């Protein structure tokens, strides 16, 4: 049985990866400091080490568990927090990643799969972006994610540690945080279900490429055996404006509340205007393509929050 250690396994995306790993027969170990993650997202019998990826304790976990594969999904994920506190963002996303890479090297891990982000591109034009598009992050978060990618590459050339970098588009689905700076889909779902006001930053015409979390988890499984030393976009190559997204979510709710029109506020710093990922490389190299249409994914997400919020 192949042993996989996943950082951030108690988080939104990480917990879906854990679920898929178990379905596929992998042995799973989770490292998560539970800063934004939730223990209840994990099955009870999964070993969970409540350890910070920046801590020296991480080496003890590797020494004890000897994982063959590492999936690195732990991070400071909030763009706004990165603007307010770039040092904290860099400590977790860069220094934490280096600590993890050191553990992988010292404990002879075969491969690391890194959860990167479309935030590394920072494009403002309305076009589909492939992996050779120039890196030009608009936020400190985008910078820290792209620097960690470079460390993956260097650990390979220096120490032969295999890696695959997956650059996710906007991921949405069940278990995403509805608090503060959580995902736009989960926050809109909560607002619609609880009949609360929704704020849209900017004019709502900004577009995103929404990819369902179960499709993202599947991409990670494929990357265990494919895509060595590759950077691969994981998105649907479809654009949806924030305004359209809100309308679509409203239409999924059986009762339409005409009063639920959004409140517009000024655009936030560091926010990308348009983001859409070309996904041909994922199709060719990982044999991956999205299984869920946006409507299907949003329906599953809305149902999840309906249950969670008991509505
Ligand atoms: N959600 C998205 O749309 C999206 C898009 C692109 C990339 N990503 C990347 O995917 C990964 C997972 O993001 P998510 O949306 O599931 O966020 P999340 O906050 O739900 O998950 C992050 C997990 O990492 C843990 N964590 C944070 N700092 C840690 C530390 N120092 N040590 C140990 N554990 C720590 C948290 O407790 C949490 O469980 C991140 O690397 C993020 O950058 C997410």
């Amino acid at each position: 049985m192949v042993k996989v250690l996943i950082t951030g396994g108690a988080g939104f995306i990480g917990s879906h990866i854990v679920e898929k790993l178990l379905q596929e027969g992998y042995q799973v170990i989770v490292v998560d400091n539970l800063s934004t993650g939730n223990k209840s997202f994990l099955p009870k019998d999964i070993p969970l080490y409540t350890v910070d990826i920046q801590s020296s304790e991480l080496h003890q976990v590797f020494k004890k568990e000897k994982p063959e594969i590492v999936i690195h999904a732990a991070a400071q994920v909030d763009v706004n927090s990165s603007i307010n506190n770039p040092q904290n963002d860099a400590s977790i996303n860069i220094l934490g990643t280096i600590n993890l890479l050191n553990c992988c090297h010292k404990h002879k891990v075969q491969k690391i799969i890194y959860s990167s982000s479309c935030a590394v591109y920072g494009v403002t034009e309305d076009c589909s972006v492939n992996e050779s598009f120039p890196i030009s992050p608009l936020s400190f978060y985008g910078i820290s994610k792209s620097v960690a990618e470079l460390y993956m590459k260097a650990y390979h050339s220096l120490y032969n540690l295999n890696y695959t970098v997956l650059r996710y588009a906007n991921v949405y689905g069940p278990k995403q945080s509805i608090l503060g700076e959580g995902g736009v889909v989960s926050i809109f779902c909560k607002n619609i279900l609880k009949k609360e006001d929704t704020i849209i930053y900017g004019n709502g015409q900004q577009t995103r490429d929404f990819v369902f979390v179960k499709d993202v988890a599947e991409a990670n499984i494929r990357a265990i055996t494919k895509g060595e030393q590759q950077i691969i976009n994981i998105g649907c190559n479809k654009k949806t404006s924030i305004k359209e997204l809100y309308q679509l979510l409203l239409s999924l709710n059986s009762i339409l509340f005409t009063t639920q029109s959004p409140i517009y506020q000024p655009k936030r710093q560091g926010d990308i205007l348009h983001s859409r990922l070309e996904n041909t490389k994922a199709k060719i190299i990982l044999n991956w393509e999205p299984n869920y249409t946006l409507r299907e994914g949003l329906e599953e997400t809305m149902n999840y929050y309906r249950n969670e919020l008991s509505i």
Side-chain angles (χ1 to χ4, degrees):
M1 217 188 225
V2 177
K3 212 179 213 191
V4 181
L5 181 148
I6 171 162
T7 70
F12 158 52
I13 299 173
S15 61
H16 285 274
I17 300 175
V18 168
E19 202 177 311
K20 235 183 196 10
L21 284 168
L22 294 172
Q23 280 166 11
E24 300 287 326
Y26 289 97
Q27 192 181 346
V28 182
I29 296 125
V30 172
V31 169
D32 197 304
N33 69 354
L34 302 179
S35 52
T36 56
N38 192 332
K39 213 172 165 175
S40 71
F41 288 171
L42 292 170
K44 295 230 164 3
D45 49 350
I46 293 293
L48 165 67
Y49 291 89
T50 314
V51 167
D52 195 299
I53 54 164
Q54 301 164 92
S55 132
S56 56
E57 270 179 76
L58 194 60
H59 282 272
Q60 301 311 317
V61 178
F62 274 73
K63 201 169 162 192
K64 182 168 173 231
E65 296 289 354
K66 300 183 180 51
E68 289 150 281
I69 304 288
V70 168
I71 295 181
H72 181 27
Q76 186 304 110
V77 303
D78 177 22
V79 170
N80 250 350
S81 302
S82 83
I83 310 271
N84 295 331
N85 193 346
Q87 273 163 313
N88 181 56
D89 177 79
S91 293
I92 299 169
N93 294 358
I94 302 177
L95 298 182
T97 299
I98 296 173
N99 192 33
L100 180 69
L101 284 165
N102 268 331
C103 291
C104 290
H105 164 50
K106 295 229 166 79
H107 300 278
K108 301 193 171 31
V109 165
Q110 288 164 20
K111 181 171 187 182
I112 180 164
I113 298 155
Y114 174 53
S115 293
S116 188
S117 167
C118 57
V120 302
Y121 296 118
V123 281
T124 48
E125 288 147 46
D126 184 4
C127 65
S128 170
V129 166
N130 71 24
E131 293 82 353
S132 43
F133 205 86
I135 296 300
S136 181
L138 295 180
S139 66
F140 300 125
Y141 167 73
I143 294 176
S144 64
K145 295 303 284 186
S146 70
V147 169
E149 288 187 359
L150 292 174
Y151 274 93
M152 300 282 149
K153 204 168 169 223
Y155 267 77
H156 171 71
S157 48
L158 291 167
Y159 306 122
N160 220 16
L161 173 63
N162 289 319
Y163 72 90
T164 300
V165 169
L166 302 176
R167 285 184 184 152
Y168 308 152
N170 271 67
V171 189
Y172 72 96
K175 299 197 267 195
Q176 193 162 25
S177 172
I178 51 173
L179 302 169
E181 297 298 326
V184 62
V185 170
S186 56
I187 291 172
F188 283 6
C189 283
K190 179 204 71 159
N191 292 344
I192 291 170
L193 290 166
K194 294 183 88 176
K195 296 179 220 159
E196 287 172 358
D197 287 339
T198 290
I199 295 167
I200 292 183
Y201 296 98
N203 61 9
Q205 303 297 341
Q206 63 272 39
T207 60
R208 296 288 180 268
D209 181 1
F210 291 102
V211 60
F212 192 51
V213 66
K214 290 188 180 175
D215 283 329
V216 171
E218 181 59 34
N220 277 271
I221 304 295
R222 305 272 167 117
I224 293 174
T225 51
K226 297 181 176 80
E228 255 74 49
Q229 283 62 263
Q230 297 291 328
I231 293 180
I232 305 174
N233 284 345
I234 300 297
C236 298
N237 199 6
K238 292 210 167 86
K239 65 170 180 180
T240 306
S241 76
I242 298 300
K243 214 170 159 175
E244 279 165 354
L245 174 76
Y246 185 69
Q247 293 305 329
L248 192 51
L249 283 168
L250 269 184
S251 74
L252 291 181
N253 221 16
S254 44
I255 310 156
L256 276 173
F257 299 95
T258 43
T259 50
Q260 279 185 288
S261 38
I263 298 164
Y264 291 91
Q265 284 194 359
K267 173 182 176 298
R268 290 178 304 185
Q269 276 185 312
D271 267 356
I272 294 170
L273 195 52
H274 298 291
S275 170
R276 177 156 56 102
L277 296 186
E278 158 72 52
N279 58 12
T280 313
K281 199 169 171 186
K283 285 180 188 161
I284 295 170
I285 293 182
L286 299 180
N287 193 22
W288 175 91
E289 56 185 340
N291 247 324
Y292 286 78
T293 63
L294 181 59
R295 202 181 175 86
E296 286 166 347
L298 291 180
E299 261 165 1
E300 197 167 319
T301 309
M302 187 63 104
N303 284 337
Y304 169 82
Y305 289 109
R306 201 172 276 125
N307 263 334
E308 281 295 293
L309 302 165
S310 312
I311 291 168

